[in-house]
Amino acid sequence: MVTINRQITLAARPVGEPKESDFKLVESPIPVPGQDEFLVQVIYLSVDPYMRGRMNDRPSYAPPVQIGEVMGGSGVGRIIKSNSRRFRVGEIVSGYFGWEEYALSDGSGVQKINPELAPLSTWLGVLGMTGMTAYFGLLEICHPRAGETLVVSSSGGAVGAIVGQIAKIEGCRVIGIAGSDEKIEWLTGELGFDAAINYKTCPDLNAKLAELCPRGIDIYFDNVGGITTDAVLPLINRRARISLCGQISQYNAIEPEIGPRLFGLLIEKQARMEGFLVFQFAHKMRSAQNRMAEWLKTGKLKYRETITKGIENAPKAFIGMLRGENIGKQLVQLADEKPQSTADHGRDGASAA
Amino acid sequence: MVTINRQITLAARPVGEPKESDFKLVESPIPVPGQDEFLVQVIYLSVDPYMRGRMNDRPSYAPPVQIGEVMGGSGVGRIIKSNSRRFRVGEIVSGYFGWEEYALSDGSGVQKINPELAPLSTWLGVLGMTGMTAYFGLLEICHPRAGETLVVSSSGGAVGAIVGQIAKIEGCRVIGIAGSDEKIEWLTGELGFDAAINYKTCPDLNAKLAELCPRGIDIYFDNVGGITTDAVLPLINRRARISLCGQISQYNAIEPEIGPRLFGLLIEKQARMEGFLVFQFAHKMRSAQNRMAEWLKTGKLKYRETITKGIENAPKAFIGMLRGENIGKQLVQLADEKPQSTADHGRDGASAA
């Protein structure tokens, strides 16, 4: 019988790229749910670029993680003990559980999941924050129209790969930018992108984009920023829309990076650039999930996952994701999808009754 | 009897800041209107920052001025000869007449002006492109709400001074940034800005803005770009709106200027930044002019003009305007508002009959 909860805490604020030593694996007793609380055994943990920002001691849209505090993060798991009337043992839920094997919750921000609808992991990917970020960041910020040309950076990553596919569904010409030939092959093959560029081997990204976008760029969905954006922006069309989702190229910067001043291009092209956070579309989430689930079912939307096993490997998975080593959604699997043993499950179920 | 038309042509493409030698005063016979054409004696000529861009050999939203070509520009003038049925001798018109004393026109883009409604010069300022730029760039791009804080750069210039006043009418707290104490005094005195900063003598623009905007910045109307924008953007609030009207700090740059990468701030604050050109609101122009004329009449909107006399001084006026030497709208006056002499007028009128 497992009684130990393994967690990953922030050991030190990273300087530049995070190192494994910036994290610490700690052990503590599995917590006991209080009144109206329940205990979740986390099955999948999501590691995402935004987490890098929370490791800095600087207020942003969310407060920073404190040294010694468990790293925050979304997960999907199974309720194994419950003193809540709304949440019952055996139910599958998603929520902001943190980097730990067992999480206590009072239900805030927790969504029940029907495991028959779609694979559990997709509730952190296509049907989770990742998919919602792609969906709203493209449709609500950029309003794509059939025939328009879209460029998406970090398109081999979790959000970018979905953005490109939704843009294809909307009838756009889609050009991806990614960091490996394997990703390029996946994007232009299985995912149906019109073209994709490996920025690591492309000698002149701006020239290549100009060649692949003969009618200019109407929409730029940006996950990356930096020199990628420098290459894209001079090619935008009149009334272009730029969705700012992430600036991953800047997240490890110790000093603010400098680059060419680009705002003049936005005037010349009467273009709009908008930053967004997925939470602002929370009220539309359910209908978006239904639409995405339908596309998933009919094969219009495909996804790929990179799954790392074991909480002890979460830091490595996170660091690799920041480097672009993953294809599609990077997840950490902490437990089997099926309940572990009849004995354990019976005990947990009984103790919560 | 005057028979000579004096014009200013582009003599050389400026390298950096334009010099007077980049322009040339040329003389040619006053042109004779052909069929359906008319001749305008230009009274006021507008010199504006956007003209700097057209002096470069680089396509933008408008084609560049060619070497030896007359500089383009909006003017207000009197029709002194006409073979047009729609435009008659004696009528006052505004249009894109160029830097010359007498301009031929077929009526395209020409607007008839009722000189009883407002002073002639205001059709290049508050009621002209300048005022429309301020009006639409603020109201249509930024949607100001009462109680919000607005910062406007180059607020002692033609557009900025109007932006601030409209924002006050809309109930905003308005902070201007300008380049002389005389401008600051005018903005906070006659124009009713809540505060204004002389960026030339302010040791820390960001700190001063933070002090003057205790509730952050909801709207930034930018005419300037560069280090001014670097100081403003870190102070924007969640869902801030940034109207990109001009980037005058960059117009004389020989090499593209570099600066801190700021797009990450737009994500963190879910902010929107949009470039615009006044032409995109052409269909709403008439109602905007009526509204502005009403504000003018009731004293809610005030303006100031810097008037330089003589076509030969147009380059000097333009160069000074780029340096911020003007207060309010910079104009060049080429002729008296009243018809010159009865003899001349009679002749011109007669020849057009």
Side-chain angles (χ1 to χ4, degrees), chain A residues 49-206:
Chain A
Y50 75 84
M51 295 170 171
R52 178 63 187 85
R54 302 221 178 147
M55 299 173 78
N56 295 333
D57 190 18
R58 173 177 173 274
S60 178
Y61 58 89
V65 181
Q66 298 304 312
I67 301 289
E69 198 182 344
V70 175
M71 287 287 298
S74 297
V76 161
R78 177 184 299 106
I79 297 178
I80 57 171
K81 287 185 186 175
S82 179
N83 294 325
S84 161
R85 284 187 203 176
R86 293 190 298 126
F87 292 89
R88 290 166 188 282
V89 167
E91 288 183 323
I92 304 291
V93 287
S94 75
Y96 199 74
F97 301 131
W99 293 25
E100 55 186 348
E101 292 178 314
Y102 297 90
L104 220 49
S105 172
D106 63 0
S108 351
V110 171
Q111 184 183 5
K112 288 190 194 185
I113 278 169
N114 177 354
E116 310 293 322
L117 264 188
L120 290 196
S121 59
T122 57
W123 296 95
L124 294 175
V126 187
L127 300 178
M129 284 303 151
T130 301
M132 296 300 102
T133 299
Y135 183 94
F136 293 114
L138 175 62
L139 298 180
E140 298 276 332
I141 305 281
C142 301
H143 309 287
R145 291 183 289 265
E148 289 191 320
T149 298
L150 170 138
V151 169
V152 50
S153 60
S154 191
S155 58
V159 172
I162 300 172
V163 167
Q165 291 180 83
I166 300 177
K168 286 303 300 178
I169 292 171
E170 298 289 321
C172 295
R173 174 171 174 80
V174 171
I175 313 296
I177 303 173
S180 78
D181 288 344
E182 191 186 352
K183 289 176 183 170
I184 301 303
E185 210 168 290
W186 175 53
L187 295 170
T188 54
E190 192 184 357
L191 299 197
F193 281 38
D194 295 282
I197 307 171
N198 181 345
Y199 72 89
K200 289 187 180 166
T201 55
C202 176
D204 185 338
L205 184 55
N206 176 268

Side-chain angles (χ1 to χ4, degrees), chain A residues 58-61 222 225-227 229-230 233 238-239 244-247 249-251 256-277 279-280, chain B residues 58-61 222 225-227 229-230 233 238-239 244-247 249-251 256-277 279-280:
Chain A
R58 173 177 173 274
S60 178
Y61 58 89
D222 186 27
I227 55 171
T229 295
D230 297 345
L233 274 198
R238 192 173 156 275
R239 305 306 283 270
L244 292 177
C245 177
Q247 299 279 287
S249 71
Q250 309 299 303
Y251 293 167
E257 198 182 288
I258 55 171
R261 296 191 183 277
L262 298 168
F263 295 159
L265 288 171
L266 299 183
I267 301 178
E268 193 180 320
K269 295 301 167 64
Q270 302 161 264
R272 178 166 55 77
M273 173 175 266
E274 191 164 343
F276 73 99
L277 298 175
F279 318 110
Q280 74 197 62
Chain B
R58 174 178 171 273
S60 178
Y61 58 88
D222 185 28
I227 55 172
T229 295
D230 298 344
L233 275 198
R238 193 175 156 276
R239 304 306 284 267
L244 292 177
C245 177
Q247 299 281 287
S249 71
Q250 309 298 304
Y251 293 167
E257 199 181 287
I258 56 171
R261 296 191 182 277
L262 299 168
F263 295 158
L265 289 171
L266 300 182
I267 301 178
E268 194 179 319
K269 296 299 167 65
Q270 303 162 263
R272 179 165 53 78
M273 172 174 266
E274 190 164 343
F276 73 97
L277 299 174
F279 318 110
Q280 75 197 60

Side-chain angles (χ1 to χ4, degrees), chain A residues 1 5 11 15 40 47 99-100 135 138 159 167 171 254 264 266 300 327 344:
Chain A
M1 190 182 98
N5 186 20
V15 178
V40 176
V47 288
W99 293 25
E100 55 186 348
Y135 183 94
L138 175 62
V159 172
I254 296 168
L266 299 183
K300 284 187 174 175
I327 297 196
D344 263 14

Side-chain angles (χ1 to χ4, degrees), chain B residues 277-329:
Chain B
L277 299 174
V278 66
F279 318 110
Q280 75 197 60
F281 304 105
H283 57 293
K284 299 179 172 181
M285 208 80 85
R286 195 57 87 160
S287 76
Q289 281 175 328
N290 290 338
R291 218 169 152 208
M292 296 278 276
E294 187 60 31
W295 285 335
L296 212 53
K297 212 186 295 176
T298 56
K300 286 190 174 174
L301 200 59
K302 299 184 175 74
Y303 67 95
R304 215 161 134 175
E305 294 164 340
T306 301
I307 297 179
T308 301
K309 298 214 171 191
I311 185 81
E312 67 278 13
N313 293 317
K316 197 180 296 183
F318 174 67
I319 294 166
M321 180 276 306
L322 286 180
R323 286 185 189 157
E325 290 170 1
N326 56 306
I327 296 197
K329 178 70 187 173

Side-chain angles (χ1 to χ4, degrees), chain A residues 215-251:
Chain A
R215 283 176 302 166
I217 296 167
D218 301 295
I219 298 173
Y220 175 39
F221 190 104
D222 186 27
N223 295 300
V224 167
I227 55 171
T228 303
T229 295
D230 297 345
V232 173
L233 274 198
L235 299 170
I236 58 170
N237 288 333
R238 192 173 156 275
R239 305 306 283 270
R241 288 132 277 150
I242 296 139
S243 185
L244 292 177
C245 177
Q247 299 279 287
I248 200 171
S249 71
Q250 309 299 303
Y251 293 167

Side-chain angles (χ1 to χ4, degrees), chain B residues 49 151-163 175-179 183 186-187 193 197 199 220-225 228 246 248 321-322 324 326 328:
Chain B
V151 169
V152 50
S153 60
S154 191
S155 58
V159 171
I162 301 172
V163 167
I175 314 297
I177 302 173
K183 289 176 184 172
W186 175 52
L187 296 170
F193 281 37
I197 307 171
Y199 71 89
Y220 175 39
F221 190 103
D222 185 28
N223 295 300
V224 167
T228 303
I248 200 171
M321 180 276 306
L322 286 180
N326 56 306

